[in-house]
């Protein structure tokens, strides 16, 4: 296995060493290769204070000029794409193509945001009073606190930051403690972009630290919006604390995504879409496919093909171009996977393939695990629970109504898909009483969303929307304006007064 530093050890189980230190580690070996100073309470408060003060200037800068900063960031990301992708692979364990794809996603969202900087449209509204104009305008919101997760260490930050900056907000970023080097690299590139574009350095501040750092950010009333990506448990803690101070939340939480496969499906296409969605990123995407709901007439045939495809997946060093499955982020993730598989089998499930750990001799502190497929007799509690690892549960159905009910019978509601060549089945799945997820796809898997659409989900996924479409509105405040250009003062609803 590739070594990623001279000072490798097994001390980093979670990526943090203490309140004063953040450990830079790699899931490729499970070892640590740097110790970085963590943000103190005073440093956190100072970062928010600087961002808050900078906001009062930044919000007055014309939006196209704010877009020039993001344009420059996109240029620097393009120039350093390979280097940043290396860091993503080292810290998150992503295979090379996925790491490069994540950086490309950053470049794409910068392009989107630059165009958006000239399209922050309000609207004119039909009013009832003569000589009056009724309109809606959008204004910068304030400081945006971004809390991101390890599995997309740079892309999710860019979704929030590029949009927030063109909207006139400033950003304070608390990245995952598991990926501090990618965060430092992004912060350095944005600082350079700010200098090149003539923007104040306080438009963005980085805080390396663990839970206490994030909690201080969440509780600060100067942070107008907290955009947090992580587990449902984390969201349950964040939302009420932000609400208690009447701040805003944008939550991107867990997913327990399913694909329905109907008898009319193109199985060649379905297998490709399923394997990428279920095994890509070693099952560590919020959009990872975790439940496969297959018509009983084709279940045996599709399952056999899936098992064969899984057997062909190259697992190992993510820097190797042939590798398709890299390591889990920590050995604790493998423990959770093993426990889930054991529970599923106690519930009557049959493990068809995978679940075993590889390279334990070469990398004893890393967790290389073969993606697993489990045939389940019913949707038990463990199937309804998200396990952040490559575990795919296979369930069967008889009618499409039964499949949709099974699909929706989980607490999460992020991404979904159906494989079918029947237009009626596709439209039924996309209808109001079909998939209850924020993302519903036809003939593609649950992973791989484009930046042009709004990304997010319903139910315990949190209800937030990031990236494209009109997701920018979450980063701004709305004002309704009435302008009286007449000489009279008619009141609305025909009210007479004085």
């Amino acid at each position: 296995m590739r070594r990623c530093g001279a000072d490798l050890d097994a001390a980093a189980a979670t990526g943090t060493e203490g309140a004063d230190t953040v450990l830079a580690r790699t899931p490729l070996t499970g070892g640590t290769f740097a110790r970085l100073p963590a943000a103190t309470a005073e440093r956190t408060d100072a970062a928010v204070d600087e961002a808050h003060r900078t906001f009062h200037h930044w919000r007055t800068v014309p939006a196209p000029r704010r877009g020039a900063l993001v344009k420059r960031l996109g240029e620097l990301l393009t120039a350093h794409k390979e280097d940043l992708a290396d860091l993503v692979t080292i810290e998150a364990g992503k295979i090379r193509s996925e790491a490069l794809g994540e950086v490309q996603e950053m470049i794409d969202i910068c392009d989107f945001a630059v165009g958006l900087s000239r399209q922050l449209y309000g609207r004119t509204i039909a009013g009832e009073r003569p000589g009056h104009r009724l309109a809606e305008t959008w204004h910068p919101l304030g400081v945006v606190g971004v809390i991101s997760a390890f599995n997309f260490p740079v892309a999710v930050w860019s979704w929030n930051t590029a949009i927030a900056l063109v909207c006139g907000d400033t950003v304070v970023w608390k990245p995952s403690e598991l990926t501090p080097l990618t965060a430092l690299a992004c912060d350095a590139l944005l600082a350079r972009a700010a200098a090149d574009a003539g923007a104040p350095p306080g438009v963005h501040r980085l805080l390396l630290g663990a839970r206490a750092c994030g909690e201080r950010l969440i509780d600060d009333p100067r942070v107008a919006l907290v955009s947090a990506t992580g587990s449902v448990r984390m969201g349950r803690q964040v939302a009420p604390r932000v609400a208690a101070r009447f701040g805003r939340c944008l939550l991107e939480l867990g997913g327990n995504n399913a694909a329905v496969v109907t008898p009319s499906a193109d199985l060649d296409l379905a297998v490709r879409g399923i394997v990428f969605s279920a095994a890509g990123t070693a099952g560590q995407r919020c959009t990872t496919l975790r439940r496969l709901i297959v018509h009983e007439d084709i279940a045996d045939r599709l399952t056999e093909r899936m098992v064969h495809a899984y057997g062909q997946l190259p697992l190992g060093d993510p820097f190797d171009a042939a590798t398709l499955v890299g390591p889990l982020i920590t050995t604790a993730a493998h423990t959770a996977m093993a426990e889930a598989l054991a529970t599923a089998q106690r519930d009557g499930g049959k493990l068809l393939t995978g679940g075993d750990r590889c390279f334990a001799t070469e990398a004893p502190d890393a967790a290389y695990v073969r993606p697993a497929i489990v045939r389940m007799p019913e949707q038990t509690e463990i199937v309804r629970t998200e396990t952040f690892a490559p575990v795919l549960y296979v369930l069967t159905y008889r009618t499409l109504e039964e499949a949709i009910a099974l699909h929706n019978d989980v607490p999460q509601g992020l991404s979904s898909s159906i494989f079918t060549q029947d237009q009626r089945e596709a439209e039924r799945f996309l209808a109001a009483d079909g998939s209850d997820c924020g993302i519903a796809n036809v003939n593609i898997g649950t992973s791989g969303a484009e930046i042009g659409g709004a990304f997010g989900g319903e139910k315990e996924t949190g209800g937030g929307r990031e990236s494209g479409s009109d997701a920018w509105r979450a980063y701004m405040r709305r004002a309704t304006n009435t302008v009286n250009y007449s000489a009279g003062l008619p009141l609305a609803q025909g009210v007479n007064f004085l």
Side-chain angles (χ1 to χ4, degrees):
M1 302 302 297
R2 179 188 294 257
R3 307 296 287 183
C4 295
D7 181 28
L8 293 172
D9 61 63
T14 64
T16 57
E17 186 173 55
D20 301 327
T21 306
V22 174
L23 301 178
R25 62 175 298 280
T26 175
L28 276 66
T29 64
T32 301
F33 54 89
R35 289 171 172 80
L36 307 167
T40 61
E42 293 76 16
R43 174 72 185 91
T44 302
D45 291 344
V48 174
D49 184 65
E50 184 178 10
H52 184 64
R53 286 185 286 104
T54 302
F55 167 71
H56 290 93
H57 162 66
W58 187 241
R59 65 182 175 180
T60 65
V61 174
R65 284 181 53 196
R66 300 194 297 251
L69 164 58
V70 177
K71 180 180 180 181
R72 181 59 183 147
L73 174 60
E75 292 170 348
L76 291 172
L77 289 170
T78 301
H80 295 278
K81 181 177 178 178
E82 298 278 342
D83 294 334
L84 190 52
D86 283 347
L87 288 177
V88 171
T89 295
I90 290 169
E91 287 198 309
K94 287 191 174 183
I95 63 171
R96 187 65 179 160
S97 66
E98 288 193 86
L100 288 167
E102 181 167 354
V103 181
Q104 184 60 49
E105 192 167 334
M106 301 174 74
I107 296 165
D108 293 344
I109 199 66
C110 286
D111 287 345
F112 179 89
V114 171
L116 181 65
S117 69
R118 294 181 181 270
Q119 299 179 77
L120 299 172
Y121 296 139
R123 66 180 73 186
T124 299
I125 303 169
E128 64 183 73
R129 287 169 287 183
H132 286 59
R133 178 171 61 82
L134 189 60
E136 182 179 274
T137 53
W138 293 84
H139 302 291
L141 182 62
V143 178
V144 175
V146 177
I147 300 174
S148 59
F150 78 87
N151 58 330
F152 280 88
V154 291
V156 172
W157 166 77
S158 69
W159 290 358
N160 285 276
T161 300
I163 302 299
L165 289 176
V166 300
C167 286
D169 302 327
T170 55
V171 176
V172 178
W173 181 24
K174 191 273 176 194
S176 168
E177 58 268 29
L178 296 172
T179 54
L181 295 188
T182 55
L184 286 168
C186 290
D187 183 58
L189 290 174
L190 182 50
R192 190 186 308 175
D196 292 348
V203 295
H204 184 267
R205 281 293 172 255
L206 172 67
L207 297 171
L208 295 182
R211 179 172 176 172
C213 175
E215 288 181 339
R216 203 163 187 89
L217 191 64
I218 289 164
D219 293 333
D220 198 313
R222 295 169 297 179
V223 179
L225 171 68
V226 174
S227 177
T229 302
S231 67
V232 173
R233 183 179 62 179
M234 180 270 286
R236 291 191 193 282
Q237 296 170 354
V238 170
R241 292 172 68 161
V242 176
R245 60 176 178 82
F246 297 99
R248 294 192 195 178
C249 266
L250 196 167
L251 298 177
E252 297 288 359
L253 308 175
N256 193 354
N257 316 292
V260 175
V261 185
T262 74
S264 70
D266 178 338
L267 293 189
D268 289 336
L269 184 149
V271 168
R272 291 183 61 196
I274 292 165
V275 171
F276 170 67
S277 294
T281 324
Q284 298 172 117
R285 291 187 181 214
C286 53
T287 55
T288 290
L289 179 62
R290 309 199 183 279
R291 297 177 297 135
L292 189 60
I293 303 170
V294 191
H295 193 277
E296 60 185 13
D297 289 349
I298 62 169
D300 291 343
R301 182 158 38 114
L302 178 60
T303 302
E304 182 179 344
R305 293 186 62 168
M306 288 294 303
V307 170
H308 176 75
Y310 268 44
Q312 308 304 307
L313 290 174
L315 184 146
D317 183 355
F319 276 104
D320 186 334
T323 297
L324 294 181
V325 180
L328 294 178
I329 189 67
T330 62
T331 54
H334 171 248
T335 299
M337 178 180 177
E339 291 173 351
L341 291 174
T343 301
Q345 290 175 89
R346 285 196 299 270
D347 290 344
K350 181 180 180 182
L351 179 62
L352 303 180
T353 188
D356 53 313
R357 187 174 170 187
C358 307
F359 311 124
T361 301
E362 300 93 327
D365 300 315
Y368 291 84
V369 182
R370 296 193 188 280
I373 300 176
V374 186
R375 186 80 176 260
M376 297 297 296
E378 60 182 337
Q379 187 156 272
T380 61
E381 190 59 31
I382 192 61
V383 179
R384 299 177 76 250
T385 303
E386 180 188 35
T387 300
F388 218 62
V391 177
L392 179 64
Y393 300 107
V394 180
L395 304 154
T396 59
Y397 76 93
R398 293 181 181 179
T399 68
L400 186 59
E401 286 68 28
E402 180 187 350
I404 292 173
L406 196 61
H407 173 280
N408 293 346
D409 186 29
V410 293
Q412 311 86 356
L414 179 53
S415 187
S416 60
S417 69
I418 186 170
F419 289 91
T420 179
Q421 296 187 83
D422 185 322
Q423 184 177 359
R424 288 182 176 178
E425 291 177 332
E427 295 295 341
R428 175 71 179 81
F429 186 76
L430 300 178
D433 57 349
S435 167
D436 63 359
C437 293
I439 299 169
N441 299 326
V442 176
N443 291 327
I444 64 170
T446 56
S447 289
E450 296 185 27
I451 59 96
F455 180 90
E458 302 299 324
K459 301 190 291 188
E460 288 189 358
T461 301
R465 292 297 185 274
E466 295 173 319
S467 192
S469 185
D470 65 349
W472 60 270
R473 295 186 178 195
Y475 304 85
M476 304 196 81
R477 62 178 179 86
R478 184 196 315 247
T480 300
N481 313 131
T482 304
V483 178
N484 179 7
Y485 58 89
S486 73
L489 192 64
L491 300 179
Q493 294 87 43
V495 173
N496 290 311
F497 194 84
L498 295 181

